[in-house]
């Protein structure tokens, strides 16, 4: 499979058109392929050594954006809608991406994670692994919060300093103070979010000025739980378009 990462920097922009939420954000899309690269790609001022320039990595350079958020409730309602907590009641200690993709994601996080004693991190839709580099874990009083759906998976996460069970599709409001984190990640789950605008607004709220929000996604998914826009059509071009559109609608 292929790995893509949307990195959103916390900067102020004027709202455009009839954007649905008053969230200020700027986005840079970086396509991280599971293939070797010959040079770094700068993402929100961070050099990602193994990333490659591609059409997807420049997806937000276009000025051809819809004036209003283009997706309806139907576009964001999965085939198996309902209680996500029930779907994830049993732990799933499995990998959701191929080995090369996981390695590429870990190397991306090596570039954007703060040093262990220098920043606070929130991992959304977390599980038994955040795909962070082996041995990375903040030193007190810094923290890494793993927020997900299954307590047994969260307990097994080696990078966390604390964890919380929360269904973000049911309640996207994050229980943290404004400007609480330097980095927010969402590894391989942004395509399951049914209320992305509300979640992205909350993500922006808890980020410190200069912080980053990184959304990584692949071409693997649970077809019955992914939002329909992700599979209509399920192509690199479409996925690289849909996530930036959500970010653009925020500001």
């Amino acid at each position: 499979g292929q790995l893509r990462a949307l990195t959103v920097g916390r900067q102020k922009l004027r709202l455009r058109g009839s954007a649905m939420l008053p969230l200020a954000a700027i986005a840079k899309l970086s396509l991280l392929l599971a293939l070797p690269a010959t040079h770094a790609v700068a993402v929100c001022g961070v050099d990602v050594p193994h990333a490659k320039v591609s059409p997807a990595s420049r997806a937000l350079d276009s000025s051809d954006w819809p004036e209003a958020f283009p997706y309806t409730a139907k576009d964001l309602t999965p085939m198996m809608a309902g209680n996500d907590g029930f779907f994830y009641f049993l732990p799933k200690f499995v990998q959701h991406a191929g080995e090369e993709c996981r390695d590429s994601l870990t190397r991306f996080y090596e570039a954007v994670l703060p040093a262990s004693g220098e920043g606070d991190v929130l991992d959304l839709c977390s599980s038994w692994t955040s795909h962070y580099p082996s041995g990375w874990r903040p030193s007190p009083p810094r923290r890494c919060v793993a927020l997900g759906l299954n307590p047994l998976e969260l307990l097994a996460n080696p990078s966390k300093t604390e964890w919380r069970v929360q269904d973000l599709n049911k309640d996207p409001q994050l229980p943290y103070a404004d400007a609480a984190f330097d980095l927010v990640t969402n590894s391989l789950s942004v395509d399951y979010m049914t209320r992305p605008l509300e979640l992205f607004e909350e993500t922006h709220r808890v980020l410190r000025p200069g912080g980053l929000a990184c959304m990584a996604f692949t071409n693997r998914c649970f077809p019955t739980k992914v939002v329909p826009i992700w599979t209509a059509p399920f192509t690199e071009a479409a996925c690289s378009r849909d996530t930036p559109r959500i970010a653009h609608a925020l500001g």
Side-chain angles (χ1 to χ4, degrees):
Q2 293 179 333
L3 177 69
R4 300 117 182 148
L6 174 69
T7 303
V8 181
R10 192 188 192 286
Q11 300 182 19
K12 290 187 176 180
L13 292 178
R14 186 171 60 184
L15 289 175
R16 181 177 184 271
S18 55
M20 293 181 63
L21 291 177
L23 173 62
I26 185 171
K28 297 293 181 182
L29 186 67
S30 173
L31 180 65
L32 307 180
L33 298 177
L35 298 172
T38 57
H39 57 280
V41 173
V43 182
C44 288
V46 178
D47 286 337
V48 183
H50 70 293
K52 292 183 67 176
V53 174
S54 72
S57 73
R58 303 274 69 86
L60 292 184
D61 290 351
S62 171
S63 60
D64 184 21
W65 298 104
E67 290 296 324
F69 187 59
Y71 305 118
T72 65
K74 183 178 179 180
D75 294 325
L76 297 170
T77 301
M79 185 186 308
M80 187 184 290
N83 193 327
D84 287 335
F86 179 77
F87 183 80
Y88 293 99
F89 178 75
L90 295 177
K92 297 176 175 63
F93 290 100
V94 297
Q95 297 287 0
H96 299 283
E99 183 177 356
E100 288 181 311
C101 287
R102 300 196 309 271
D103 177 67
S104 184
L105 180 55
T106 297
R107 286 186 288 158
F108 171 74
Y109 284 143
E110 285 178 346
V112 299
L113 279 167
S116 61
E118 298 179 6
D120 299 297
V121 176
L122 171 61
D123 186 34
L124 299 175
C125 303
S126 191
S127 67
W128 63 279
T129 175
S130 297
H131 302 284
Y132 298 165
S134 177
W136 186 91
R137 193 170 186 268
S139 302
R142 298 299 189 179
R143 60 180 178 160
C144 175
V145 180
L147 187 153
L149 283 169
N150 187 276
L152 295 180
E153 291 187 25
L154 297 173
L155 280 169
N157 188 308
S159 302
K160 63 143 184 4
T161 58
E162 59 189 89
W163 58 275
R164 175 183 174 85
V165 173
Q166 182 172 337
D167 183 347
L168 293 173
N169 285 336
K170 183 178 180 180
D171 178 16
Q173 184 172 354
L174 299 174
Y176 306 109
D178 296 354
F181 297 97
D182 299 282
L183 177 70
V184 177
T185 61
N186 185 326
S187 300
L188 316 180
S189 293
V190 70
D191 44 332
Y192 299 101
M193 298 294 96
T194 62
R195 298 166 68 178
L197 290 176
E198 294 169 80
L199 180 60
F200 278 30
E201 182 180 46
E202 278 291 284
T203 299
H204 177 266
R205 180 184 63 79
V206 302
L207 273 175
R208 291 177 179 135
L212 295 176
C214 303
M215 311 291 146
F217 50 92
T218 73
N219 56 5
R220 289 188 182 185
C221 66
F222 293 118
T224 59
K225 294 299 290 182
V226 74
V227 294
I229 56 170
W230 209 257
T231 56
F234 192 39
T235 63
E236 177 181 314
C239 292
S240 297
R241 174 200 66 210
D242 293 335
T243 306
R245 278 184 172 180
I246 294 171
H248 178 78
L250 298 174

